[in-house]
Amino acid sequence: VIESNAVPDPDVVQVDAGAGEYSVSVGPGQLDRIGAFVVGLAGVHRCAVISDSTVEKLYGARVTDSIQGAGVSCEIFTFEAGEARKTRKVWSILTDALLDGGFGRDSLVVALGGGVTGDLAGFVAATYMRGLPVLQVPTSVVAMVDSSVGGKTGVDTAAGKNLVGSFHPPVAVMIDPEVVRTLPTDQRSEGWVEAVKHGAIVDAAYFDSLEAEGPQLVAGEGDAVRRAVLRSVQIKAAVVSDDEKEGGARMALNFGHTLGHAIEAVSEYAMGHGSAVALGMLLEAELGERLGVTEPGTAQRLAGALQAIEISARLSDPCSLEAIEDFLARDKKAREGTPRFVLLRRIGEVDREFGWTRAVPREDIKAVLRSTWLSN
Ligand SMILES: NC(=O)c1ccc[n+]([C@@H]2O[C@H](COP(=O)([O-])OP(=O)(O)OC[C@H]3O[C@@H](n4cnc5c(N)ncnc54)[C@H](O)[C@@H]3O)[C@@H](O)[C@H]2O)c1
Ligand SMILES: [Zn+2]
């Protein structure tokens, strides 16, 4: 007899985080399996679900029902949705609420939401009573393909984003790909940019499939989303696991981010991270082609994939050219004033001639920025 509410077995990806292994489960209905997972955790008797106001309304009850239904006591704590709330102030409000609620060392934090919730709730877990376990339950594309795997947690400060934080790998990550249906369309597009990046750095076949299935991914169709999230999680898991042993592989994830971060900052965050990274990838591919490192036509292929996920990466304000160059000169990753870039050899492969990054002369960066601006 097949139960009408039976949840299919998820695909499971193992992450080797050095400090311990954890698994990432990807499959429809995972939201309803949280209780069953929590019951199996030794030493956990209480749950503090942390979520933002938007996600709490949509999925909060489903998660608390699942946990309480499994016989574990559970309370939900919410904060107002948005990056503006990823702060020490909200961290202190949440940790005070947990203290008031009498949460002790037998508690589990469940981070239910997008990347903001994952980072903030992860940091609460990292610091509360010197560290509680955290279960990551990502609900945005960004959180599923990027932020929930790897263990980085933290908050923003006036001086910049993610400047105060900690490395705190989760006990597990549970992903229900169906929940991205309720995400606004442009948020899905922005999130798929990091998936395109995953294809570009290690898997040409995945890159092609993202381009082919762009419309379904943007629409949030369950099975296309499930397969893409699974492949991105496998790639990110391999890279962050590798890094523990080898050192440096994680650098490849910065493809598109040197220029992307500069563009994002210069736009004063008017441009979304995904769109800025999309543009960063295009420019860094052009840079690689100009230097003879990247196979000709690579930038063009990237443009096609980005178009398929409905990202229109274009530079709007020619006046910000100097601002971008200034930002690069001050970039913390710059070595002796020369910016370093992750460059592609071709779609699916990073150039490794000088390690994971190579220094690029300023004149070449300027030339690429200028030619792109002029041709827009
Ligand atoms: N830790 C890492 O390694 C890492 C990596 C990448 C990004 N990040 C961080 O992630 C954050 C961005 O993540 P984000 O884009 O998910 O932002 P977010 O968490 O603010 O989510 C975006 C919006 O979508 C809403 N939302 C989330 N899931 C939803 C759903 N299923 N249905 C309807 N609405 C939903 C949220 O309420 C929010 O309004 C940034 O703070 C960034 O620094 C961290
Ligand atoms: Zn990114």
Side-chain angles (χ1 to χ4, degrees):
V1 179
I2 297 167
E3 288 174 54
S4 59
N5 65 346
V7 173
D9 283 343
D11 289 295
V12 179
V13 181
Q14 216 56 38
V15 183
D16 184 357
E21 289 204 1
Y22 58 94
S23 60
V24 184
S25 311
V26 182
Q30 284 304 289
L31 234 47
D32 307 308
R33 304 294 298 157
I34 293 172
F37 172 79
V38 169
V39 163
L41 285 176
V44 169
H45 301 108
R46 282 185 83 181
C47 283
V49 179
I50 297 178
S51 193
D52 74 25
S53 47
T54 305
V55 175
E56 188 267 335
K57 281 191 201 82
L58 290 164
Y59 303 108
R62 236 173 105 187
V63 171
T64 52
D65 284 356
S66 172
I67 295 170
Q68 285 161 351
V72 176
S73 129
C74 165
E75 264 178 69
I76 189 157
F77 300 87
T78 60
F79 60 94
E80 201 181 314
E83 183 79 32
R85 294 297 187 285
K86 204 177 101 174
T87 60
R88 283 169 293 193
K89 185 171 176 208
V90 177
W91 168 84
S92 71
I93 291 169
L94 290 168
T95 47
D96 281 345
L98 261 62
L99 289 166
D100 286 346
F103 283 82
R105 298 208 41 83
D106 62 344
S107 309
L108 170 78
V109 172
V110 178
L112 172 69
V116 165
T117 303
D119 283 7
L120 179 61
F123 190 50
V124 167
T127 47
Y128 190 81
M129 297 195 170
R130 297 198 186 88
L132 294 182
V134 60
L135 170 67
Q136 291 284 352
V137 185
T139 62
S140 69
V141 174
V142 168
M144 290 180 189
V145 303
D146 193 358
S147 59
S148 64
V149 178
K152 287 184 184 171
T153 73
V155 294
D156 302 332
T157 76
K161 288 179 68 173
N162 301 318
L163 291 179
V164 173
S166 153
F167 208 75
H168 191 59
V171 285
V173 184
M174 294 176 80
I175 302 181
D176 186 338
E178 314 237 291
V179 305
V180 307
R181 267 183 198 282
T182 51
L183 206 61
T185 306
D186 60 325
Q187 292 273 349
R188 282 193 294 263
S189 291
E190 288 269 319
W192 294 123
V193 172
E194 300 285 350
V196 167
K197 179 193 75 182
H198 292 147
I201 60 175
V202 295
D203 186 345
Y206 177 45
F207 181 92
D208 289 339
S209 75
L210 289 167
E211 177 161 11
E213 298 193 64
Q216 291 91 308
L217 294 169
V218 173
E221 280 176 23
D223 206 56
V225 172
R226 181 187 62 76
R227 281 179 281 114
V229 166
L230 178 62
R231 187 65 195 122
S232 269
V233 165
Q234 286 169 338
I235 291 169
K236 182 142 189 205
V239 168
V240 299
S241 298
D242 245 28
D243 213 21
E244 297 289 336
K245 298 157 206 149
E246 241 174 82
R250 202 168 180 149
M251 291 295 287
L253 295 171
N254 286 332
F255 174 57
H257 280 64
T258 306
L259 283 168
H261 279 145
I263 291 164
E264 196 180 6
V266 165
S267 84
E268 289 177 340
Y269 297 91
M271 200 169 198
H273 179 74
S275 294
V277 168
L279 199 43
M281 289 196 291
L282 285 176
L283 290 166
E284 291 178 17
E286 277 176 18
L287 192 56
E289 289 184 38
R290 179 186 164 88
L291 295 168
V293 173
T294 305
E295 189 175 270
T298 301
Q300 201 53 46
R301 286 185 66 191
L302 270 165
L306 293 167
Q307 203 168 12
I309 58 163
E310 290 177 23
I311 289 284
S312 51
R314 48 193 1 258
L315 298 166
S316 45
D317 182 8
C319 304
S320 56
L321 258 180
E322 280 77 22
I324 290 176
E325 286 162 8
D326 281 357
F327 182 93
L328 287 175
R330 286 182 281 109
D331 191 9
K332 62 182 173 193
K333 286 183 201 92
R335 302 268 179 281
E336 291 129 28
T338 313
R340 299 187 71 87
F341 289 84
V342 174
L343 294 179
L344 298 182
R345 191 154 202 65
R346 58 178 66 82
I347 293 295
E349 191 186 342
V350 169
D351 165 62
R352 298 283 306 277
E353 195 179 344
F354 300 105
W356 291 101
T357 60
R358 68 159 77 203
V360 174
R362 287 190 184 284
E363 307 79 72
D364 293 296
I365 303 166
K366 274 190 183 164
V368 164
L369 285 170
R370 274 167 223 281
S371 70
T372 306
W373 250 274
L374 293 174
S375 63
N376 254 324

